[in-house]
Amino acid sequence: MILSYLWVGFFLIAFIVALIRLAMGDTEILKTLIDGIFDSAKTGVDISLGLIGIMTLFLGFMNIGEKAGAINFLSRIVGPFFSKLFPELPKNHPAMGHMMMNFSANLLGLDNAATPFGLKAMESLQQTNPSKETASNAQIMFMVLHASGLTLIPVSIIAQRVILKSNNPTEIFIPCLMATFVATMVAMSVTALWQKFSRSQWMAIIAVAAIGSVFLVGLTYYLRVYLTNNAATTFSKIVSNGLILLIFIVFIIGGLWKKIAIYDAFIDGAKQGFEVAIKIIPYLVGMLVAISVLRNCGVFDYIIEGMSWLFASMGLNTDFVAAMPTALMKPFSGSGSRAMMIDAMKQYGPDSFVGRLSCVFQGSADTTFYIVALYFGSVGIKKTRYAVPAALLADLAGVIAAIIIAYNWPWSV
């Protein structure tokens, strides 16, 4: 229901703003809106069709892994913790393994790899959902955690900084990790409050927060003391790409060990890639068109101007405001926020405060509305309950954390 209100709201706001601009003499505004609508509709289809290849590939290997027992193995490993976060799931349910694969891909910034795993996880969770058109608690927790965008290695952001000739492309590595960790913990905690977690469930969350904090401290020390910038970049590339290859090899070896028909298993799983990609087209087109009209009518520009005035009137430093378009766009469009991040680095410089902060914004969360439309749409969920508010609160936490970190981080020039 909330998606319906947001969708209609985007159009109404854009329509009102467009009328005002038309009355003020902007005769091109209507053409801009219509062109944006058509372009977004085409983009929605292109994105969906573009997913066919990667989804076919990964769902094929996922099926090999599932038949080889990899999913059940992962389920047993993460079972003790996931049983706290997802109490509705039966013990060792395959969805736990699917979710673990999704989170693992996200940790390494492998968006394309994470999507098929996530869709498979949502499909598995749907099997235990008693109300097929209403999101279950387990589906909401998974979606919110995924939308929080926990990323260990922001490979694509570092790559963009290299292209734009940053003097230190990897310096946003740790700030991104810190900001996205904050967003994830807030996502988990907010959802836990909504779902009225028990004391034992909260203890599991606290344990994860403690372990994560220790890991961050250790990683920070390793990267800043032992690795040069070039070594850190090489480390990112090897780990991110090596993991994908390792997954494929492990699944194949597992299939040989279990004596399954590996190629047949791959084909059976791969067939689902086309079906899912086609199914999500209406959801993506609808959401991208709504985002387009809101962006092209100039609402984002007005928001930035208003924010600058507000924070300046409060006597606060407004240096961060110029980077806010990336943060504001991130929940709506990954490609849009990426474009705004690149634009900020081009305009202000990749090693400027605004350029760096834009990168941290880009790495602090994921595309909430895209994920809601994609994941819930893939299984026919129409009532998302509190999933969107919880995810947006996590996004807000990531933005605030990014700003605080940027102002206090010892950026090297």
Side-chain angles (χ1 to χ4, degrees):
M1 185 63 70
I2 190 170
L3 283 179
S4 297
Y5 291 143
L6 285 171
W7 196 77
V8 173
F10 286 173
F11 272 98
L12 290 178
I13 292 172
F15 180 68
I16 293 171
V17 173
L19 288 180
I20 294 174
R21 293 183 60 172
L22 185 63
M24 296 174 62
D26 186 355
T27 57
E28 294 295 317
I29 183 61
L30 296 182
K31 182 179 184 302
T32 300
L33 288 179
I34 295 300
D35 288 346
I37 288 174
F38 291 154
D39 288 343
S40 296
K42 181 178 182 299
T43 299
V45 175
D46 290 343
I47 290 175
S48 298
L49 295 181
L51 285 173
I52 292 177
I54 191 71
M55 287 178 60
T56 298
L57 174 68
F58 277 93
L59 288 177
F61 274 101
M62 283 276 292
N63 197 46
I64 295 175
E66 187 168 4
K67 291 183 180 300
I71 302 302
N72 290 331
F73 177 73
L74 282 173
S75 297
R76 288 194 294 271
I77 293 177
V78 302
F81 175 62
F82 273 24
S83 63
K84 300 294 185 182
L85 291 183
F86 304 94
E88 300 173 351
L89 286 182
K91 186 178 180 180
N92 296 329
H93 191 278
M96 292 187 178
H98 297 148
M99 288 188 289
M100 186 61 187
M101 297 295 289
N102 172 264
F103 294 144
S104 297
N106 267 334
L107 282 172
L108 297 175
L110 305 172
D111 298 337
N112 289 337
T115 298
F117 296 144
L119 291 172
K120 188 66 176 179
M122 189 62 73
E123 179 184 336
S124 297
L125 292 171
Q126 183 72 343
Q127 295 173 2
T128 64
N129 185 5
S131 180
K132 299 304 182 184
E133 292 188 354
T134 302
S136 66
N137 285 348
Q139 287 174 316
I140 293 175
M141 176 62 82
F142 168 66
M143 195 288 296
V144 171
L145 287 178
H146 180 54
S148 68
L150 182 60
T151 303
L152 177 64
I153 304 176
V155 178
S156 61
I157 299 176
I158 293 174
Q160 291 293 342
R161 290 178 59 80
V162 171
I163 292 171
L164 294 174
K165 303 185 184 306
S166 167
N167 293 324
N168 192 358
T170 62
E171 66 182 346
I172 49 83
F173 188 107
I174 301 301
C176 282
L177 182 59
M178 291 179 173
T180 191
F181 179 73
V182 170
T184 298
M185 294 312 302
V186 169
M188 194 182 300
S189 300
V190 169
T191 308
L193 285 172
W194 244 302
Q195 297 183 3
K196 299 179 180 179
F197 270 25
S198 65
R199 182 177 179 180
S200 63
Q201 290 174 293
W202 275 108
M203 290 302 295
I205 294 177
I206 293 172
V208 169
I211 294 172
S213 299
V214 171
F215 173 77
L216 287 177
V217 172
L219 180 63
T220 301
Y221 182 79
Y222 174 71
L223 291 173
R224 295 181 69 85
V225 175
Y226 288 102
L227 295 183
T228 63
N229 292 333
N230 291 334
T233 301
T234 301
F235 171 82
S236 300
K237 292 179 180 178
I238 292 175
V239 172
S240 59
N241 293 301
L243 181 65
I244 292 297
L245 182 60
L246 179 62
I247 290 173
F248 291 167
I249 293 174
V250 169
F251 282 0
I252 290 174
I253 293 175
L256 292 172
W257 180 265
K258 291 287 186 177
K259 298 180 180 179
I260 65 173
I262 296 178
Y263 183 71
D264 291 341
F266 176 85
I267 296 299
D268 289 340
K271 291 177 180 178
Q272 302 175 42
F274 180 82
E275 298 172 2
V276 174
I278 297 300
K279 188 175 182 179
I280 65 177
I281 288 178
Y283 297 92
L284 284 183
V285 169
M287 185 56 65
L288 290 177
V289 165
I291 293 169
S292 171
V293 296
L294 194 66
R295 181 178 66 249
N296 290 326
C297 74
V299 167
F300 279 111
D301 294 333
Y302 299 142
I303 291 175
I304 295 301
E305 292 174 5
M307 290 179 65
S308 295
W309 175 86
L310 175 63
F311 289 111
S313 64
M314 295 170 62
L316 299 176
N317 186 306
T318 60
D319 290 347
F320 73 92
V321 175
M324 285 302 292
T326 302
L328 294 174
M329 182 59 70
K330 186 63 177 179
F332 302 105
S333 170
S335 59
S337 62
R338 186 179 301 109
M340 289 186 172
M341 175 192 71
I342 293 171
D343 182 69
M345 287 195 286
K346 285 183 176 179
Q347 182 176 353
Y348 296 94
D351 296 324
S352 66
F353 177 82
V354 173
R356 290 161 170 160
L357 180 55
S358 295
C359 292
V360 181
F361 280 151
Q362 178 71 6
S364 66
D366 214 325
T367 50
T368 296
F369 290 104
Y370 170 83
I371 291 171
V372 169
L374 178 67
Y375 282 40
F376 285 148
S378 67
V379 293
I381 294 293
K382 297 180 180 178
K383 298 178 182 179
T384 61
R385 299 166 67 198
Y386 51 85
V388 173
L392 291 179
L393 284 173
D395 292 340
L396 177 61
V399 169
I400 294 173
I403 293 172
I404 294 174
I405 292 168
Y407 274 111
N408 292 279
W409 190 258
W411 301 108
S412 57
V413 180

